[in-house]
Amino acid sequence: MWTAKDNMTDQTGKTVIVTGANTGIGFETALAFYKAGAHVILACRNTDNAIQALESLRQQGGTGTLETALLNLASLKMVRQFAETFLERHQQLHLLINNAGVMIPPASKTDDGFELQFGVNFIGHFALTGYLYPLLKNTPGARIVTVSSMAYLRGSIDFDNLKSEKSYDPMREYSQSKLADILFSVELQRRINAVGDKVISVAAQPGANKTELARHMTADEFSAAVERIGELMEPWQGALPSLYAAVSEDVMGGELFGPDQDGGYRGFPARAAIAPNGSDEVAAQRLWSYAEEVTGVQFPG
Ligand SMILES: NC(=O)c1ccc[n+]([C@@H]2O[C@H](COP(=O)([O-])OP(=O)(O)OC[C@H]3O[C@@H](n4cnc5c(N)ncnc54)[C@H](OP(=O)(O)O)[C@@H]3O)[C@@H](O)[C@H]2O)c1
């Protein structure tokens, strides 16, 4: 049973970006790195919330250091600004944790016109990873952890509806975005291997947890979801797959880690098989080309 408390290795000297670190799984991920001695950048879309999280992390105590940075993944311009500022200030980046996410919001779009979940959960993180890749590549032992969800299993990519041109179905769009995260993570590793870089790209899925992710659900929808998937874990436990993927020696690029019990909804980190829709190379390549085209960001290589 792997836990951060018992198994997290010393992260002193490491620089870590956690997107969406002000709450939920991102907060717990940041806390574990802070306790382990890392320099943690809390990359959040709301500065006040980021500062509040930083203070709360300090109160809980850690041997690392903390910094907040403004990152709104719903705006490619702001993603670029975040990356430019980061690259001016930092000479290394050991870990990029692509954690931030939004689930079943009312129909809405990013600044660039993408359906919000596809835009934030995937497109924003694609661009962010691309902008930061040159630094990751030059930092020994660098890893990129992309947080997906069990919802990816029900997902498919509808290339004709990525801007909600046809219709909006909140859970279908969430599943699509989380499938995109897996396809991205696996395809990135293929491309890293092809150019001979040493960076590791790995996916994590946190299982079922009590966080603010359900903020757009009605009370009835929330009860029905809990009825279907069972008891929810505390966010510290949901952070473990991301942490394991980020620090364990037992990790290879292109893999997925998630809780080991109840079909992946609860438990402690373990390697998980990637379902056929998540390892579809044709879909992954098409998605990659699409993302390169719409973001104008090309990497690795
Ligand atoms: N909780 C679960 O059971 C579960 C299950 C499967 C997968 N996940 C995945 O785990 C990750 C973390 O979710 P969580 O459960 O911790 O949810 P959460 O408590 O709602 O946290 C989500 C984080 O993402 C941030 N975020 C949302 N939109 C953003 C944007 N446009 N730009 C930058 N940051 C943005 C949020 O910021 P604000 O607070 O400012 O909105 C928040 O910090 C997500 O990728 C989610 O899909 C969670």
Side-chain angles (χ1 to χ4, degrees):
M1 187 172 88
W2 193 96
T3 64
K5 191 167 159 279
D6 295 332
N7 303 99
M8 192 82 180
T9 46
D10 183 19
Q11 299 295 309
T12 306
K14 297 238 179 113
T15 302
V16 185
I17 294 176
V18 182
T19 70
N22 57 288
T23 187
I25 290 161
F27 179 88
E28 294 295 336
T29 304
L31 178 60
F33 278 114
Y34 178 50
K35 280 185 186 288
H39 177 64
V40 188
I41 293 92
L42 313 176
C44 305
R45 67 172 164 164
N46 178 302
T47 304
D48 290 344
N49 291 348
I51 291 170
Q52 229 172 43
L54 181 142
E55 283 164 3
S56 171
L57 290 165
R58 283 213 177 117
Q59 269 167 23
Q60 300 206 37
T63 56
T65 44
L66 297 166
E67 158 184 355
T68 63
L70 183 62
L71 171 65
N72 183 356
L73 289 154
S75 158
L76 287 173
K77 186 174 157 205
M78 291 195 69
V79 172
R80 197 180 62 242
Q81 280 171 358
F82 167 88
E84 283 171 359
T85 308
F86 182 86
L87 293 171
E88 273 165 24
R89 291 186 187 161
H90 295 273
Q91 279 69 53
Q92 51 181 9
L93 176 58
H94 299 86
L95 292 160
L96 170 61
I97 315 290
N98 288 328
N99 163 83
V102 57
M103 183 176 78
I104 63 164
S108 39
K109 297 194 177 181
T110 67
D111 287 4
D112 308 284
F114 298 101
E115 183 282 316
L116 189 69
Q117 299 172 92
F118 185 76
V120 169
N121 301 355
F122 168 59
I123 289 286
H125 280 125
F126 178 93
L128 176 68
T129 307
Y131 287 131
L132 298 175
Y133 190 80
L135 187 55
L136 286 157
K137 175 178 142 167
N138 289 326
T139 307
R143 292 189 193 184
I144 299 152
V145 178
T146 300
V147 181
S148 180
S149 161
M150 291 284 285
Y152 93 86
L153 291 168
R154 297 189 295 277
S156 61
I157 309 290
D158 182 353
F159 286 94
D160 298 324
N161 197 36
L162 299 176
K163 295 187 167 179
S164 286
E165 295 93 330
K166 293 195 288 201
S167 62
Y168 179 65
D169 173 336
M171 195 40 101
R172 184 189 66 200
E173 271 41 303
Y174 179 68
S175 302
Q176 172 175 258
S177 73
K178 290 288 142 179
L179 171 60
D181 284 337
I182 297 256
L183 290 169
F184 162 65
S185 183
V186 175
E187 179 65 17
L188 174 54
Q189 189 62 55
R190 276 192 212 106
R191 288 173 186 244
I192 290 170
N193 294 345
V195 295
D197 289 344
K198 299 279 177 250
V199 180
I200 285 178
S201 167
V202 57
Q205 74 82 12
N209 302 274
K210 279 178 222 160
T211 69
E212 292 178 36
L213 195 68
R215 65 183 92 175
H216 297 295
M217 283 182 164
T218 63
D220 284 352
E221 285 170 341
F222 184 71
S223 304
V226 173
E227 180 93 352
R228 188 171 56 80
I229 61 180
E231 201 186 333
L232 302 179
M233 300 191 296
E234 295 298 328
W236 67 263
Q237 200 167 348
L240 296 180
S242 301
L243 293 166
Y244 186 92
V247 307
S248 170
E249 290 302 320
D250 175 41
V251 167
M252 302 242 300
E255 292 187 318
L256 167 67
F257 292 84
D260 59 353
Q261 304 287 312
D262 302 336
Y265 283 115
R266 282 165 288 279
F268 292 87
R271 182 171 289 104
I274 299 181
N277 67 338
S279 34
D280 180 342
E281 215 171 316
V282 174
Q285 284 179 14
R286 189 172 171 197
L287 182 69
W288 192 281
S289 301
Y290 176 85
E292 278 188 338
E293 193 185 316
V294 295
T295 61
V297 182
Q298 296 198 326
F299 69 107

